[in-house]
Amino acid sequence: MIISASELMKKYPDFTGQDESILQEKLDGIENLIRKYTNNNFQNRNIRFTGDSLGNRIFGGHPFIRVGDTLQISESEVNDGLYVVKEVTENFVRLDKDLFEVPHNLLTKVVYPVDIKQGVINLVKYECEMRDKVGVKFERLSRHDVEYYDMTSANQVMGYPVSLLGFLKPYMKARF
């Protein structure tokens, strides 16, 4: 995960009073959106291991895996996806969600740059404060005039203004 809802609420007073579970869903959605839009999975392939799964545990590990890290499971039959590390022991790594029991899971650590984290915070602020005003360009209260933007592909991407997604440009990867 790029940033947890509890960390966001703790560090940024703009988010106090928000429902933590709804905020976490928004953060998870934005993370998936960024990964798809950039075609970049932000994996550190130097920190990778394989292991069997049982319950919410992966048997095996890597010395550079810590609690709170994001791991991507791939090459499994059914467990592919993103998971957060909840516990690390000598024999296994406990994840935040239950897994199906399969003999082979390839786990790779996911590392997001700091500017991605700041960009996500800006996107969540937009989501919480401006989503209900989508398309409003100008609003005058006296005599109540409202002018709307044209919501075309030139000025919005994935429901967000283009100006908010500029931080993703350096991380775009070619699609083949």
Side-chain angles (χ1 to χ4, degrees), residues 20 51 91 113 119 126 148 174:
E20 190 171 341
N91 301 323
Y126 175 82
Y148 292 94

Side-chain angles (χ1 to χ4, degrees), residues 74-165:
S74 54
E75 296 182 11
S76 79
E77 297 166 3
V78 290
N79 293 325
D80 292 1
L82 296 176
Y83 298 86
V84 178
V85 176
K86 294 297 180 187
E87 179 184 0
V88 178
T89 70
E90 251 181 59
N91 301 323
F92 66 86
V93 175
R94 186 177 308 275
L95 303 175
D96 64 331
K97 296 176 239 172
D98 284 336
L99 304 166
F100 292 100
E101 187 175 340
V102 292
H104 176 78
N105 296 279
L106 176 65
L107 289 93
T108 309
K109 185 173 179 176
V110 176
V111 180
Y112 295 102
V114 175
D115 55 336
I116 294 287
K117 188 175 183 178
Q118 289 302 313
V120 166
I121 291 167
N122 290 335
L123 289 174
V124 174
K125 279 183 185 177
Y126 175 82
E127 188 72 37
C128 293
E129 297 170 2
M130 299 299 291
R131 181 55 73 186
D132 59 338
K133 298 177 183 178
V134 170
V136 175
K137 180 178 181 181
F138 174 77
E139 185 173 7
R140 184 183 307 148
L141 294 175
S142 178
R143 302 281 190 225
H144 191 69
D145 293 340
V146 178
E147 185 177 331
Y148 292 94
Y149 282 112
D150 290 333
M151 295 303 286
T152 64
S153 62
N155 59 13
Q156 67 91 25
V157 176
M158 301 175 303
Y160 293 100
V162 173
S163 61
L164 286 179
L165 296 173

